[in-house]
């Protein structure tokens, strides 16, 4: 029972910080709540944390970490995560010239 109550509290707090309800909106705190739940194996939290890493929302943008969490969620059957991972696999790599232009910030 205690485990279920802890999850419910984490979800409630996460949503409060995400939406700025009764507490200031805090994307970093939201990411911490998702990370805590993701590390405990919660597939939805893994998916949300992966998306946050891809977008740089509340965490430093980190594509490899983002897809690491999305793959974990996809492995548990999360449809949205499977779609995102599949899209990543299907996207063609950039030609060498495009890569150097992106690195230069153009």
């Amino acid at each position: 029972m205690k485990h279920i109550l802890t999850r419910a509290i984490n979800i409630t707090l996460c949503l409060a910080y995400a939406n700025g309800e009764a507490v200031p909106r805090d994307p970093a705190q939201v990411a911490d709540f998702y990370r805590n739940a993701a590390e405990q194996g919660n597939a939805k939290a893994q998916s949300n944390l992966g998306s946050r890493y891809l977008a740089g929302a509340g965490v430093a943008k980190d594509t490899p970490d983002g897809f690491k969490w999305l793959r974990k969620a996809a492995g548990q059957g999360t449809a949205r995560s499977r779609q995102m991972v599949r899209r990543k696999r299907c996207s063609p790599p950039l030609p060498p010239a495009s890569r150097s232009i992106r690195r230069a910030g153009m």
Side-chain angles (χ1 to χ4, degrees):
M1 179 69 175
K2 182 180 176 185
H3 185 65
I4 293 170
L5 184 58
T6 302
R7 277 189 184 176
I9 291 169
N10 276 341
I11 291 167
T12 302
L13 286 172
C14 183
L15 292 174
Y17 279 106
N19 299 320
E21 296 172 0
V23 293
R25 180 172 275 173
D26 187 346
Q29 188 66 51
V30 173
D32 285 342
F33 281 115
Y34 281 140
R35 185 176 300 103
N36 183 24
E39 288 172 349
Q40 293 176 27
N42 182 294
K44 188 167 183 167
Q46 291 169 344
S47 180
N48 288 333
L49 183 60
S51 296
R52 287 186 163 274
Y53 273 114
L54 293 179
V59 294
K61 189 171 183 174
D62 188 333
T63 302
D65 259 0
F67 278 102
K68 173 188 87 170
W69 286 110
L70 288 172
R71 279 190 298 277
K72 286 183 180 205
Q76 293 191 61
T78 306
R80 180 173 157 262
S81 298
R82 282 194 311 243
Q83 248 181 343
M84 292 176 80
V85 169
R86 194 175 311 122
R87 245 185 275 143
K88 169 71 174 163
R89 284 189 195 136
C90 293
S91 63
L94 291 171
S98 298
R99 281 190 219 132
S100 60
I101 290 171
R102 267 208 187 149
R103 282 190 202 123
M106 300 178 160

